[in-house]
Amino acid sequence: MVSGQWMIVPRAKDLRRRFNPVRFWSKLTVIERHNVTGVKAGAWSVTGLNEGLTGLLSAGNGVILFRDGVKIMSGDIVSIARGSKQSTVSGWSDTTLPDDRLVAPNPAQSWAAQSTDYDNRTGPAETVLLNYINANVGPGALASRRIAGLRVPASAGRGKTTTVKGRFDKVGTVLADVAESGGLHYDIAQDEDTLGPFLQTTVRPVADLSANVRFGTAGSFTGAVIGSDWSYTLERPTVTDAVVAGGGEGADRILVEKVDTTAEATWGRKIEQLIDQRQTTDTTELADAGTDALSDGANPVSVSFTVTDQPDVRYRRDWQVGDKVGVSVDGIDLTDVVREVTTTVTAQQGAANEVISAVVGSRDSSKWTTKTNTKVAKALRAIDRLQAI
């Protein structure tokens, strides 16, 4: 087990560091996620003695988390569980900030002055993603809707061509969908320059490391070793045949079908589902909607495990959340994306013990949510899409 030196730095509402690093903390939990359905993109919590939590016991403040001098996450406080001697402060990462805004049909107009139906954007996934950020929460947004200090970089044009018709969806949901379809991972984290602190948006492509970064039980092969507390789920998809209904009336309505033949062969079942896309007649957009529906309805193997770092394979150095890796456990050989990594650090008598657990699999994969929560999140998203049509 490799343990690093963690530093927890409180920040004020204006992002400035006005407090000393946290002292006398006993537990730190950091959760990083990649386009997971129905949960926040990142979260953190700190437990410690009150006298060491200066700056974290005030609503509106936040933290910057460092490991061995490298920034890991930053974010606002969302919960303070105050005790007489010890408290637990929890928050979400800055990557979740776009969740607080809706996609406006015309971001350049106030809500009362909206005069268009959709904010239609087409282009490389990275360009579409960054444009939605900029127009709804970034420097290009109306002053009243901007996230203070947010910077948005120029697009490098990465990811496949994507078309989105934005209308009243949560900005964060649209960003996650675009990133997923384009094979991208995005983050927002605090940085500083001569002008002061700011929030920087970064985008990177999903890296396929499955040939070199593989996880398995001890003795299975050379690589990162899975702890004894691994578990996995294998569940039949909820849809294998997406029938996408576009614009038109009655018999003239355009229909496009997308089929997951691999899933049907594996489970021996065809499961059809109607996907309402009446707002468009573009067959490419309809096909993309069918692909997204198959992805949302897929339930492949999801593996959760504790990682024992090895000299040749270490988290944050050799792999990170959002990378594609290989997992071999209980006779199952899985190649999929790292959806979630939880780092739990406990400090006792000056010594820190760091435990890293990962979840690899579909967008529904998270050790912090239940199956019911996931289904509710999907149902709400479907309702939101219908209401926005």
Side-chain angles (χ1 to χ4, degrees), residues 213-228 230 303 305-308 310 313 325-330 332-334:
V213 179
R214 302 190 61 82
F215 300 89
T217 52
S220 58
F221 49 73
T222 300
V225 178
I226 292 176
S228 60
W230 56 265
V303 183
F305 52 87
T306 299
V307 182
T308 301
Q310 301 295 307
V313 182
V325 300
V327 181
S328 180
V329 60
D330 197 32
I332 294 176
D333 192 12
L334 172 69

Side-chain angles (χ1 to χ4, degrees), residues 44-109:
W44 56 270
S45 70
V46 179
T47 299
L49 298 178
N50 293 336
E51 59 262 38
L53 295 177
T54 303
L56 288 190
L57 298 179
S58 299
N61 287 354
V63 298
I64 314 169
L65 304 175
F66 296 89
R67 183 184 186 276
D68 291 338
V70 178
K71 181 175 70 269
I72 303 300
M73 181 182 290
S74 61
D76 289 338
I77 295 169
V78 298
S79 173
I80 301 173
R82 187 77 152 80
S84 60
K85 296 182 179 180
Q86 179 174 280
S87 300
T88 296
V89 182
S90 304
W92 295 328
S93 78
D94 286 325
T95 307
T96 69
L97 289 172
D99 294 346
D100 296 336
R101 303 286 193 277
L102 300 175
V103 173
N106 185 344
Q109 297 176 325

Side-chain angles (χ1 to χ4, degrees), residues 5 82 145 180 183 185 244 248 258 277 287 291 339 345 350:
Q5 296 296 317
R82 187 77 152 80
R145 303 189 67 215
E180 182 69 12
H185 178 88
V244 187
K258 297 291 288 186
Q277 293 288 301
T291 300
R339 291 294 176 179
V345 187

Side-chain angles (χ1 to χ4, degrees), residues 103 107 119-136 152-166 171 173-179 181-182 184 186 201 203 288:
V103 173
D119 180 6
N120 301 325
R121 298 184 186 268
T122 299
E126 181 179 13
T127 302
V128 172
L129 184 152
L130 292 175
N131 284 347
Y132 271 115
I133 293 177
N134 184 56
N136 288 278
V152 182
S155 173
R158 294 171 291 189
K160 71 174 186 179
T161 299
T162 302
T163 297
V164 178
K165 290 180 176 292
V171 175
T173 299
V174 172
L175 301 182
D177 288 346
V178 172
S181 67
L184 302 173
Y186 75 97
T201 306
V203 180
D288 287 343

Side-chain angles (χ1 to χ4, degrees), residues 1-3 306-310 353-356:
M1 183 69 64
V2 177
S3 294
T306 299
V307 182
T308 301
D309 271 343
Q310 301 295 307
N353 180 43
E354 183 179 275
V355 176
I356 297 172

